[in-house]
Each structure stands twice: as structure tokens, then as C-alpha cells.
Amino acid sequence: MSRTPVIAGNWKMYKTTAEAREFAAAVKNELQNVSGVEMVVCAPFTTLSVLQEALAGSKIAVGAQNIHFAEEGAYTGEVAPRMLTDLGVRYVIIGHSERRAYFNETNETVNKKVQAALKHDLVPIVCVGEDLSEREAGQTFSIVETQTRAALAGIEAGQAAGLTIAYEPIWAIGTGKSSTAADANEVIAHIRKTVAELYDGETASRIRIQYGGSVKPENIGEYLAQPDIDGALVGGASLAPDSYVGLIRGAVK
Ligand SMILES: O=C[C@H](O)COP(=O)(O)O
């Protein structure tokens, strides 16, 4: 089955509303005629509304970088799924390694967030990946497998098929040290095998699995040429309009 690649920028904690508007104005027309790739920008909560407005009529979808799993409640500082769909947001990153490392996200909270996102028709981009010591100890496959199984617990096949997983080796994030395309493909194929074991071959062939970690316009083509890599989750290189456009052009080559 052929899967449409999804290229998602993750702006992390960068850009004011004025900067987001500037970005949207710069990329909107440039990418108007692109087809064969899904384009997403995952922005800070404070810029979602202006981005949604500034990108209206374009093919670029807006995503958030986190959600809370509750419908609503006394959770100071948190944002509920309904607040995102209210803005027209389509995607949400869940379980990014920075959230697991700095904000106590666990496999259990990741699963609750995936369930909450799906309940509200948000497309989760679920992040999995090993750190350097785990990689050196030969635990890469078992770490991504455990994270994948935990994230998908209680999710039905039909819903699992529609979500996106991002494999991001932690040692490759923002370091300039990217995984080789062949290595990334091997891990992603293992994640796909895990999905096949959890569900069936059909679900595994439909689910999209991205690579993330120091992806740039210059190397995105190598990743997308791999059979199991269905796109990229990009941090640093998604911030500048030229670079974002370069990533998309590199993905459709
Ligand atoms: O979510 C994106 C990743 O953390 C990758 O970040 P990076 O492209 O800056 O290495």
C-alpha cells in the first residue's frame, strides 16, 4: 500500500504571533501547488489561532505540541483537546522526548493523551525513541517496541491505522547527528512489525511512521527514499520559511 508522506514541523518553544504570521505569509503561496505530501506545522498554543487564520485556504495543516487527556477541569496551565478542535487544529504531537524528559510524561500518560486525541478526531503524532545509552546497550528495538505497545493500548485497529508515529532517536535531536537513513528504516520497520503483531498486516501497512532528528532539506530525500519511512518530524529546520519550503520540495522529489 502506498502511504502519503507527512512532513510536520515542530516549532517547539519558538515564534511570537507576529513571527508566525510572517512565516505563514512566506510559505503559503510557495506551497500552494504541492501535492503528494501532507504538510503540517505544530506550533506553540499561543500562535495556533493566528496560524490557523493565516494559513486558511492553504494545504498546510496546523498542529499542537501537547494536550491534556481530560475533557476539562482544574488543571492549571493545561489545554484540553476540545480547545484545539475549536480552533480547527488537526494534529497534535504526543509524548515528544522533551516532554518525557522535562515534564514527567510516561508511557501511561502518553496512552491517555492518544485516547483523548482520537476521541476528538485529532491526529496524534506519537513520538518514540531511544537515548544514547539505550542505543549503546543494544536496547533500541525493545525501547521503541515498549513505547509503541504502551501508546496504542486500548486503541482499536481502525483508529491506530489513522495515526502517525514519529521515531526520534533522542541522541539525534537538535545535535546535527542524524541516524543514517538505513538505520532509521530498520527501526521503523520494527515499529511497523510491532503494529502488525498488535493488530494485523493491514493496519501496519496503513499507519504512517516518520523519522525525526536533525532532518534538513539536504537529507530529507534520503529518508523518504526508504521503504518504511513515511515522512519526517522536523524541529530546527522547520522554523525558517525557506527551509520549510525546502523540506517539502525535498519530500516530493
Ligand atoms: O520534533 C522534532 C525533533 O525533536 C527533531 O528536532 P531537530 O530536527 O531540531 O533535530
Side-chain angles (χ1 to χ4, degrees):
M1 164 174 300
S2 77
R3 297 174 294 266
T4 305
V6 52
I7 309 300
N10 174 11
W11 281 359
K12 306 193 177 183
M13 200 171 71
Y14 290 96
K15 292 195 192 292
T16 61
T17 53
E19 289 162 348
R21 263 197 204 97
E22 214 175 294
F23 175 96
V27 302
K28 196 173 167 178
N29 292 337
E30 284 280 333
L31 297 175
Q32 204 54 28
N33 296 320
V34 168
S35 60
V37 56
E38 248 173 77
M39 301 177 278
V40 186
V41 174
C42 297
F45 290 131
T46 48
T47 57
L48 293 175
S49 188
V50 297
L51 254 194
Q52 192 66 36
E53 193 187 299
L55 291 172
S58 82
K59 293 180 177 169
I60 307 167
V62 176
Q65 301 169 14
N66 182 32
I67 43 164
H68 195 276
F69 46 78
E71 285 296 307
E72 60 184 2
Y75 298 106
T76 302
E78 292 291 319
V79 171
R82 212 161 57 92
M83 298 169 181
L84 298 180
T85 51
D86 181 45
L87 299 177
V89 166
R90 279 287 297 139
Y91 289 80
V92 59
I93 298 173
I94 295 176
H96 190 280
S97 60
E98 286 150 16
R99 296 215 52 90
R100 293 181 192 251
Y102 309 137
F103 302 100
N104 302 320
E105 293 222 358
T106 62
N107 283 338
E108 195 190 356
T109 57
V110 167
N111 175 246
K112 286 183 171 179
K113 291 181 180 200
V114 172
Q115 304 219 27
L118 290 172
K119 187 173 169 198
H120 288 270
D121 291 328
L122 287 160
V123 180
I125 299 176
V126 185
C127 300
V128 301
E130 82 289 0
D131 67 22
L132 190 56
S133 65
E134 290 161 343
R135 181 162 194 102
E136 286 171 351
Q139 295 169 340
T140 300
F141 281 16
S142 68
I143 294 286
V144 298
E145 183 169 339
T146 302
Q147 291 175 332
T148 302
R149 285 181 182 274
L152 297 178
I155 308 293
E156 288 172 10
Q159 288 195 304
L163 60 75
T164 299
I165 295 178
Y167 166 57
E168 299 206 318
I170 296 168
W171 50 270
I173 296 177
T175 58
K177 285 187 213 162
S178 45
S179 170
T180 66
D183 278 357
N185 191 70
E186 202 187 349
V187 181
I188 287 174
H190 185 74
I191 296 170
R192 202 177 298 286
K193 181 168 157 269
T194 303
V195 174
E197 285 165 10
L198 277 172
Y199 301 98
D200 46 55
E202 158 80 10
T203 307
S205 73
R206 284 176 58 200
I207 198 166
R208 290 183 295 182
I209 311 180
Q210 303 169 306
Y211 167 73
S214 298
V215 175
K216 308 176 198 69
E218 302 77 51
N219 64 13
I220 193 165
E222 290 167 40
Y223 291 103
L224 292 198
Q226 295 288 330
D228 276 291
I229 303 183
D230 306 318
L233 181 58
V234 188
S238 73
L239 289 167
D242 285 359
S243 179
Y244 185 82
V245 170
L247 288 165
I248 302 300
R249 297 218 186 289
V252 290
K253 255 183 218 160

